[in-house]
Amino acid sequence: MAATLMRGKPLADRIRARVADEVAAIGHIGLVTVLVGDDPASEVYIRLKHKAATEAGFEAVDLRLSAETTEEALLTRVAELNASDDVDAILVQLPLPGHIDEEKVIRAVTPAKDVDGFHPLNAGELYLGRPALVPATPRGVMALLEKHGVHLEGAPAVMVGRSDIVGKPMAHLLLQANATVTICHSRTRNLAEHTLAAEVLIVAAGRAGLVSAEMVREGGIVVDVGMNRTDDGLVGDVDPAALERASLMTPVPGGVGPMTIACLLENAVRCARYRRKELDYPG
Ligand code: GUN
């Protein structure tokens, strides 16, 4: 079997067009991204997010702070953004430089402006099955699966990776869709035993080629969230040879990546609706 590719761009383009209409209807929506330091991968992500936000009509502010910025100075900036009437949505790009406590910064963002959905309050609402602001990448994966008619009810779904940004929220969304969820990680014994049982396999481990073709179930559905820069260019966590065994599989690049950006913009509209009381923020 050769897999059908689940491309992200067509669906992401549709979402971005709808978001642009919503932004136009609402009027001003302010999105501020904060990048501390000059990590090249983060710069690429921020540039893509800005381009998309600006194209959709957001008032997007690209705040750049030097790598020497103190934790206190960053927390002060975040407090200013929280208080600003011009700002609906705040995104602090991760990772932050080592001298800054990421958790402190994540907790400092007002939950209703937390466009990434990383604040413990948003994480908690998701955990309790009352999603408010949900991290963009897992939302993008769910949208892709839905578009391709993937049936999750009761299905064995395996999440490889347990990050706060992808693995954990993804597992919760799958659970809410009534999948039978297994979370695997770097300490998992016999990873292949789990991946081979997966009707739906989602990999976000950040290790190029971690999942070989032999680890994919015949006819399985594979979502590769990995984005690894290697000598061979940008590659995922799943060996592309798995295309021969899967029934549906995301390409890298061009799979999940475009969906993350589109869903981030959707979240920013949600933030704007919270601030305008068109939606009730649960917190
Ligand atoms: N670093 C890697 N992915 C993300 C993301 O989705 N949001 C933020 N803020 N930082 C990231």
Side-chain angles (χ1 to χ4, degrees), residues 132-154:
L133 288 160
V134 177
T137 300
R139 285 197 45 228
V141 171
M142 292 302 282
L144 261 184
L145 293 174
E146 188 177 331
K147 183 197 168 199
H148 287 86
V150 173
H151 198 68
L152 289 169
E153 179 94 12

Side-chain angles (χ1 to χ4, degrees), residues 49 91-94 116 118 165:
K49 288 171 189 176
L91 181 151
V92 181
Q93 186 66 25
L94 304 179
D116 270 319
F118 294 167
I165 294 179

Side-chain angles (χ1 to χ4, degrees), residues 1 9 17 26-27 33 45 60 68 92 108 138 149 167 184-185 207 228 233 235 266:
M1 186 186 288
K9 191 156 184 308
I26 291 173
T33 62
Y45 297 140
E68 285 77 44
V92 181
C184 299
H185 46 78
R207 277 182 55 191
N228 307 291
V235 303
E266 279 189 328

